[in-house]
Amino acid sequence: MEKELADVPGAMSIHLSRRCAEKNNAYPMTTLQLAGYVSADMDGIVSQSEKAPSNRWNKVELIKGSDFADTPDLTDGTVYMDEYVNYLVKNLGSAKNGGIRGYSMDNEPALWNSTHALMHPEKTTCAEIVDKNVTMAKAVKQIDPDAEIFGPALFGYSAFVDLCSAPDWKDIKNERDDYRWFIDYYLDSMKKAEDEAGTRLLDALDIHYYTEAKGPCGERSCKHYSDEGCVQARFDSVRSLWDDTYKEDSWITDTGGTFLPLLPNVKQSIDKYYPGTKIAISEYDFGGSYDICGAIAEADALGAFMENDVYLATLFAMQADYQCAAIDLFTNFDGNGGRFGDTLRQTVSDNTGLSTAYASTYGDNTDVVTLVVTNKSMNDKTTANIKIKGGEYSYVHLYGLNNFAPQVFDMTDSNNAVQVSDNTIIYDMEPETVSLLVIAKDKESIPKNNAADAKEQKSSETEGKKKNSSKRKTTAVSVGIAGAALLGAAFGVFRAKKKK
């Protein structure tokens, strides 16, 4: 953070806004504190005898309502959240004019009694979360109607189900048997509050998701990158987002796994209780920071987010070299702003356990297709037979990730693995790789920032030597571009749009 902001109120949000502006106008979202107290000083560790309320804390009030100060009063012992939002709007602009675009309703409230025991020692109740979310959302929308509200930032599966056995959940469930899980109650309550207020109070249901799936070693998200079973378990773990035929090995499925796959269940709840609410996964991680398997799992996670209408997703990991490289493959594959297209197209792979694929175009322009495809085999090459329905294509530029380094490689000039013949693309994928193919009708169709150093990949030019492999597998990939496009997603700084 800039030194000049050291003593500036709201420094972290101001710094965030600046950084997002530098990163191609990435989406700035900040957290509003709802748990009840904030630190009053910088005097070190707070002892048990100094737990809130004490002079080590300032009380948090959600609503001041009027007479907002230009700078906070450091003597009144109170922090007003609506005053803080007003301050940010005044200094940064509104959501539509360069300011904070999203506000998160605090963070992981089901854990407050353990993570913030000195300020919120009692277990969080369902009613408390709804009451605070409604009150804060109303205040934000009055100050900045275009700002988006994200809530309730649930930490994981047990919070989704019953807010970690919240004290009032059983009574709520007894009164409303149609509520399958806490998410239903939360959405329905927010919708009722919207009906009373006359304005939308929840723009995105916000949850966190960290895989609990175990490999043969019995560890969650292990680092046994040379163990084929453990690597395959990482790849498969992403299927808990979308695949109703898959059952992961985890404590979640040991206790029933009722709400896996996750995203279809979330969408079902939204459709029933609060239609139009977006899905946000503001923290997630499938691991693999130090190995190519992490990049492949990340690519599949991004694909699942796109295919299941996730509006915003943000990776949260202490080390994430290979995951970030996978994000680069989608958002900046050529180092010059080249991106996976903004309109998702229907894509089918005949063996998703071996190879997954995701395709897109740039809006309605079908002259260029961007295709991400994986080879999950640790030891064998896989030949992808790619057929694009609805067009003729003769030009391919290849980018990819492998186990050499966590970065995107431009492989067109040194790789003879791509052949184009009769509108079919044959791509011999090396073991454990994830690739992006920019496929075009001709070289002139490629956007300028994607065309640098590209060359045609035709059958007559691909008769060079290929790397030997003990085995070779095949998969068929079909991309449909003639029909209706699907809804894309947002992740990191990238946002895909819905085809109108």
Side-chain angles (χ1 to χ4, degrees):
M1 188 172 69
E2 301 97 322
K3 291 182 179 179
E4 67 190 75
L5 295 176
D7 296 318
V8 175
M12 292 306 298
S13 291
I14 294 171
H15 174 70
L16 168 70
S17 179
R18 292 178 180 179
R19 289 285 291 163
C20 286
E22 294 169 0
K23 299 294 183 179
N24 298 316
N25 292 316
Y27 190 101
M29 179 170 67
T30 195
T31 300
L32 299 177
Q33 302 210 35
L34 309 185
Y37 294 90
V38 294
S39 176
D41 58 50
M42 295 184 288
D43 296 337
I45 296 174
V46 177
S47 67
Q48 183 66 32
S49 64
E50 297 173 312
K51 66 181 181 181
S54 75
N55 61 5
R56 299 297 306 277
W57 304 88
N58 285 330
K59 185 173 177 55
V60 170
E61 295 285 357
L62 305 187
I63 302 298
K64 185 178 184 181
S66 61
D67 300 324
F68 294 139
D70 290 339
T71 57
D73 185 343
L74 302 182
T75 65
D76 64 0
T78 304
V79 175
Y80 297 99
M81 285 294 101
D82 61 344
E83 186 172 67
Y84 175 56
V85 173
N86 184 73
Y87 169 85
L88 293 178
V89 171
K90 185 172 182 178
N91 284 273
L92 299 175
S94 66
K96 279 192 172 181
N97 293 285
I100 299 297
R101 293 172 60 187
Y103 291 92
S104 176
M105 299 293 98
D106 212 296
N107 184 60
E108 301 187 342
L111 298 179
W112 285 346
N113 65 305
S114 58
T115 57
H116 297 78
L118 293 179
M119 56 188 265
H120 198 291
E122 66 282 358
K123 291 196 72 171
T124 311
T125 67
C126 302
E128 176 187 2
I129 294 307
V130 167
D131 179 64
K132 288 182 174 179
N133 276 232
V134 168
T135 300
M136 192 73 258
K138 285 180 179 178
V140 172
K141 292 292 188 176
Q142 287 177 357
I143 296 167
D144 191 352
D146 296 312
E148 293 186 307
I149 302 298
F150 293 74
L154 301 174
F155 81 91
Y157 190 84
S158 58
F160 309 160
V161 175
D162 57 12
L163 203 65
C164 292
S165 301
D168 56 345
W169 172 247
K170 286 186 178 180
D171 290 339
I172 292 170
K173 178 66 174 171
N174 286 337
E175 292 179 7
R176 289 290 301 270
D177 189 55
D178 58 310
Y179 291 157
R180 299 182 305 149
W181 52 346
F182 169 75
I183 285 175
D184 286 349
Y185 163 76
Y186 176 78
L187 288 167
D188 194 31
S189 299
M190 296 301 290
K191 178 61 168 67
K192 290 174 180 176
E194 175 193 307
D195 292 342
E196 293 178 4
T199 187
R200 176 169 276 276
L201 297 178
L202 181 70
D203 294 284
L205 176 72
D206 182 16
I207 58 177
H208 300 168
Y209 189 78
Y210 296 93
T211 181
E212 297 290 338
K214 297 177 292 185
C217 67
E219 296 179 19
R220 168 190 171 277
S221 195
C222 70
K223 297 181 180 178
H224 302 141
Y225 300 138
S226 61
D227 186 291
E228 190 166 358
C230 291
V231 169
Q232 188 61 50
R234 185 185 312 283
F235 295 154
D236 286 342
S237 69
V238 184
R239 295 166 62 187
S240 287
L241 291 173
W242 62 272
D243 187 356
D244 60 7
T245 69
Y246 168 68
K247 183 178 180 180
E248 68 180 31
D249 180 9
S250 73
W251 69 263
I252 294 175
T253 50
D254 289 345
T255 57
T258 304
F259 303 106
L260 295 182
L262 180 62
L263 293 175
N265 276 284
V266 169
K267 291 166 73 174
Q268 179 181 335
S269 294
I270 287 173
D271 290 344
K272 182 174 182 179
Y273 291 105
Y274 203 167
T277 303
K278 302 166 185 173
I279 301 172
I281 304 180
S282 61
E283 292 184 21
Y284 75 91
D285 185 16
F286 288 91
S289 301
Y290 305 106
D291 188 79
I292 183 61
C293 69
I296 295 173
E298 176 68 18
D300 273 347
L302 299 178
F305 295 154
M306 290 188 293
E307 292 183 338
N308 288 274
D309 303 334
V310 174
Y311 174 64
L312 182 143
T314 48
L315 177 68
F316 190 96
M318 296 301 102
Q319 299 291 329
D321 292 353
Y322 270 95
Q323 295 105 309
C324 288
I327 293 173
D328 282 344
L329 190 68
F330 280 86
T331 62
N332 190 25
F333 54 76
D334 59 359
N336 192 34
R339 299 167 165 249
F340 188 76
D342 60 9
T343 302
L344 196 63
R345 297 292 177 172
Q346 186 176 20
T347 308
V348 178
S349 172
D350 71 347
N351 187 349
T352 56
L354 175 64
S355 179
T356 42
Y358 313 95
S360 67
T361 58
Y362 300 103
D364 292 326
N365 181 3
T366 60
D367 288 350
V368 179
V369 176
T370 51
L371 174 70
V372 170
V373 62
T374 66
N375 180 12
K376 299 178 184 180
S377 175
M378 290 185 68
N379 303 306
D380 304 326
K381 283 187 177 183
T382 295
T383 299
N385 295 297
I386 303 163
K387 182 70 174 179
I388 303 178
K389 300 177 181 178
E392 296 184 359
Y393 301 88
S394 63
Y395 181 91
V396 177
H397 194 135
L398 177 64
Y399 300 87
L401 300 168
N402 53 41
N403 61 6
F404 183 73
Q407 67 184 68
V408 178
F409 291 97
D410 182 339
M411 299 190 293
T412 295
D413 292 334
S414 59
N415 195 305
N416 295 315
V418 179
Q419 302 178 46
V420 180
S421 177
D422 298 328
N423 204 39
T424 296
I425 298 163
I426 300 174
Y427 174 33
D428 287 336
M429 300 182 288
E430 295 294 331
E432 269 200 296
T433 52
V434 53
S435 308
L436 183 141
L437 286 71
V438 181
I439 304 166
K441 292 188 174 182
D442 50 52
K443 182 174 181 179
E444 288 69 30
S445 301
I446 300 283
K448 288 185 178 180
N449 65 326
N450 298 343
D453 299 322
K455 73 173 183 180
E456 274 185 293
Q457 297 283 349
K458 293 187 177 180
S459 56
S460 61
E461 299 175 323
T462 55
E463 296 303 321
K465 294 181 180 180
K466 295 181 174 65
K467 180 180 178 180
N468 291 328
S469 180
S470 58
K471 297 180 182 178
R472 186 179 301 276
K473 301 179 180 181
T474 62
T475 185
V477 177
S478 175
V479 180
I481 65 167
L486 304 177
L487 177 65
F491 41 88
V493 299
F494 171 75
R495 184 174 304 280
K497 299 178 292 186
K498 186 174 182 180
K499 172 74 163 57
K500 299 295 186 181

